Amino acid sequence: MSTSHFIHSLFRPEVLALSAYHVANASGFIKLDAMENPYTWPQSLTDQWLARLTHCQLNRYPDPQAQQLSSALKLRNQLPESVDILLGNGSDEIIQLLLMALPPNSHVLSTTPSFVMYKQISDSLGLHYHGVALREDNFDLDLPAMLNAIEQHRPAIIFLAYPNNPTGNLFDVTAIERIIEVAHGLVIIDEAYEPFANNASFMHKVMHKVLVMRTVSKLGLAGLRLGYLVGDTEIITQLHKIRLPYNINVLTQASVQFALDNHAIFDAQTKAICVERTALYDALNALSGICAYKSAANFILFKAPQEEAGRIFESLKSQGILIKNMSPQGGLLRDCLRVTVGTPEENQAFLNALKIALNDSLRG
Ligand SMILES: *Cc1c(COP(=O)(O)O)cnc(C)c1O
């Protein structure tokens, strides 16, 4: 049997049909493609962190419940006793856990566009994924279309990113509440960008079918891989059963704990990023041919002149600046690019390069 035949006889068709999640090689670039916090720590804080890590026992398995860290996260988020928390190797893993727990042939609902992993993981598990298009005028939920889709497909899980990636906006609260009201299954409010959303959150509305998911990635700890899901104790208990026993390693447990103890630095950094976001938004909209959309996250989606997104992306790249070209996804994202808010210097370099790219496309 040829290798190809062998592989086709071995794996599920939905796995064979997938393409791997593509991550651009960023070495040498000003990296504004992945919503990372651009700031590092002062040396004194790094020294304290390293001192803390010397207590980690690498020869021992981590605490399987990550009890200390879970308690610290509950405290930091002021969670009531009635809810529980599930930690994941990034919120990506939590999305996977939620979907793995569903019966075969379940339906999953989100918006188009939204975070790509909802569909990617649903597809990989052979679930039926539906993305309801957002409103063209403001990227908000198309409530009648959402309600229709819920009635038609009876999704076991609805994912709503709040703020949404890649559009950056917060969906209308009343519309979300209506969706919660009619949902037959779980509603996961994905608050990956909560640190930048000026306290907009559903954390105080967690109960029964409403769960809130957060991550430390966009806050400034993307390298550690820690996400968490807050929800009804009995629902979280079921998910713990399918979680791998040691999914949060000792270094991540200790490092996030350390970060929570020193949250003031992240508060200051996220505040600086929000100030820069406003400056970047204004500067983008001042460029002729560019339309930037308001964002409650640490990135900005903007529209380039028609059919120019690819060329602008490549021009920026050739000038050493990596952002994300969303245009290939089509639909509402046609002609759109997404830039992460960087340091003032990085943003200025990006704007300078964008001006050159725009002039090039006018000439071209
Ligand atoms: C980045 C992102 C995530 C993934 O976060 P990780 O914790 O790094 O896996 C989840 N949801 C949304 C909307 C995101 O943009």
Side-chain angles (χ1 to χ4, degrees), residues 145-315:
M146 287 296 284
L147 297 178
N148 261 336
I150 292 168
E151 195 179 296
Q152 191 188 339
H153 304 298
R154 300 182 70 88
I157 292 186
I158 301 171
F159 287 104
L160 296 173
Y162 184 80
N164 189 39
N165 172 9
T167 52
N169 58 312
L170 290 159
F171 296 141
D172 180 68
V173 173
T174 320
I176 296 180
E177 280 171 348
R178 182 79 186 111
I179 288 168
I180 290 171
E181 228 173 85
V182 303
H184 309 90
L186 302 180
V187 181
I188 310 298
I189 311 291
D190 181 350
E191 298 189 351
Y193 299 98
E194 181 272 338
F196 312 97
N198 194 23
N199 296 321
S201 173
F202 276 74
M203 196 58 102
H204 57 290
K205 298 197 173 134
V206 167
M207 52 124 211
H208 186 42
K209 58 184 165 180
V210 184
L211 295 92
V212 165
M213 186 169 64
R214 288 191 182 169
T215 172
V216 299
S217 294
K218 313 298 158 60
L219 180 69
L221 300 167
L224 290 178
R225 308 304 299 129
L226 185 87
Y228 53 101
L229 181 70
V230 175
D232 179 274
T233 305
E234 289 181 41
I235 290 171
I236 297 292
T237 301
Q238 298 304 315
L239 296 171
H240 270 296
K241 294 191 220 165
I242 56 166
R243 168 177 77 74
L244 294 176
Y246 306 109
N247 64 332
I248 313 299
N249 73 70
V250 282
L251 298 177
T252 295
Q253 290 191 29
S255 301
V256 176
Q257 177 82 53
F258 175 80
L260 290 172
D261 295 344
N262 293 278
H263 66 86
I265 182 151
F266 297 97
D267 297 345
Q269 290 179 346
T270 48
K271 212 165 160 187
I273 290 167
C274 289
V275 170
E276 268 307 298
R277 174 179 68 198
T278 306
L280 184 57
Y281 171 82
D282 291 342
L284 278 168
N285 275 327
L287 294 176
S288 123
I290 297 291
C291 170
Y293 300 101
K294 266 260 174 266
S295 169
N298 64 340
F299 59 84
I300 293 176
L301 184 77
F302 63 95
K303 193 167 242 174
Q306 239 178 19
E307 306 296 333
E308 290 294 335
R311 192 138 52 129
I312 288 171
F313 174 76
E314 290 302 333
S315 168

Side-chain angles (χ1 to χ4, degrees), residues 107-119 122 128-134 141-142 145-146 149-150 153 155 157-162 164-165 171 179 186 188 190:
H107 292 257
V108 178
L109 190 82
S110 187
T111 62
T112 300
S114 70
F115 185 48
V116 292
M117 294 312 284
Y118 308 147
K119 179 176 191 304
S122 297
H128 305 287
Y129 179 87
H130 311 275
V132 177
L134 295 174
L141 293 167
D142 181 341
M146 287 296 284
I150 292 168
H153 304 298
I157 292 186
I158 301 171
F159 287 104
L160 296 173
Y162 184 80
N164 189 39
N165 172 9
F171 296 141
I179 288 168
L186 302 180
I188 310 298
D190 181 350

